[in-house]
Amino acid sequence: MGRLVYSAITSLDGYTVDAEGHFDWSAPDAEVHAAVNELLAPVGTHLYGRGMYDVLVAWETMSTGPDQEPAVNEFARIWHAADKIVYSTTLAEVSSDRTRIERDFDPETVRDLVADGDVSIGGPTIAAHAFRAGIVDEVHLFVSPVVVGGGTRALPDDVRLDLDLVGERRFANGVVQLGYRVR
């Protein structure tokens, strides 16, 4: 049995993008990127909302090699090795390997995926569906030392979760990783 793991890079006030849709403040340095890689390495399938997919699909053709940071090369390997499902009602086709489109979020289908191994869910809008369905097993937030004052919330407003802290880590750039297991 696997886990459904939600992870996000957030501002201190809980947003993944600011009110203008910018997230340049969230770019991970090498140390944070390595921690994200460590979290995602055991995951066989990544579930994305359309917005998150549009950002991450760049990894399909990202330049790798000795001129890149090791964490960048490692994430590219993780991206290419994983199956990806994009939830979208408007995306006509995908532009990455090992990727398919689903039009509707079905919690039972996701449970079946998790039965076969670890699955990550990325993008707060699609993750909200999983939170509401009660199928998220772990929450990992990388909290950036910035307050953006509004935007897209990392966690849904209409869900209550009781959590157990399973880990925390502080990085030199001021980011703090918080890991929780859902009770």
Side-chain angles (χ1 to χ4, degrees):
M1 184 67 168
R3 308 165 294 154
L4 181 59
V5 178
Y6 172 62
S7 64
I9 298 175
T10 75
S11 62
L12 182 61
D13 52 346
Y15 297 97
T16 58
V17 298
D18 65 23
E20 288 78 41
H22 299 152
F23 54 91
D24 54 328
W25 49 266
S26 70
D29 68 5
E31 184 184 25
V32 172
H33 207 188
V36 170
N37 293 350
E38 183 180 311
L39 179 65
L40 295 178
V43 171
T45 303
H46 299 270
L47 311 179
Y48 297 122
R50 169 74 185 269
M52 183 62 70
Y53 177 72
D54 286 346
V55 170
L56 293 178
V57 74
W59 288 95
E60 191 68 16
T61 58
M62 184 81 58
S63 174
T64 60
D67 58 322
Q68 288 286 354
E69 291 283 337
V72 169
N73 289 330
E74 178 63 12
F75 190 84
R77 187 199 63 72
I78 291 167
W79 168 267
H80 287 282
D83 293 325
K84 294 162 280 293
I85 300 172
V86 182
Y87 293 91
S88 174
T89 58
T90 59
L91 186 64
E93 62 185 48
V94 295
S95 55
S96 55
D97 291 335
R98 301 184 67 160
T99 306
R100 74 176 195 262
I101 300 170
E102 292 289 338
R103 299 298 177 200
D104 297 304
F105 184 85
D106 178 36
E108 289 307 315
T109 301
V110 174
R111 280 188 181 104
D112 291 343
L113 289 170
V114 172
D116 292 334
D118 288 346
V119 176
S120 74
I121 189 161
T125 304
I126 198 66
H129 293 288
F131 280 115
R132 289 184 194 107
I135 60 173
V136 175
D137 298 301
E138 292 185 13
V139 177
H140 293 268
L141 299 177
F142 292 82
V143 182
S144 300
V146 61
V147 173
V148 299
T152 302
R153 295 190 47 75
L155 298 168
D157 287 328
D158 57 350
V159 173
R160 170 163 178 154
L161 289 175
D162 292 317
L163 306 168
D164 291 321
L165 183 67
V166 295
E168 77 269 352
R169 184 172 171 189
R170 180 181 174 177
F171 299 94
N173 67 356
V175 169
V176 176
Q177 179 186 1
L178 301 169
Y180 296 94
R181 185 176 312 114
V182 178
R183 286 187 201 158

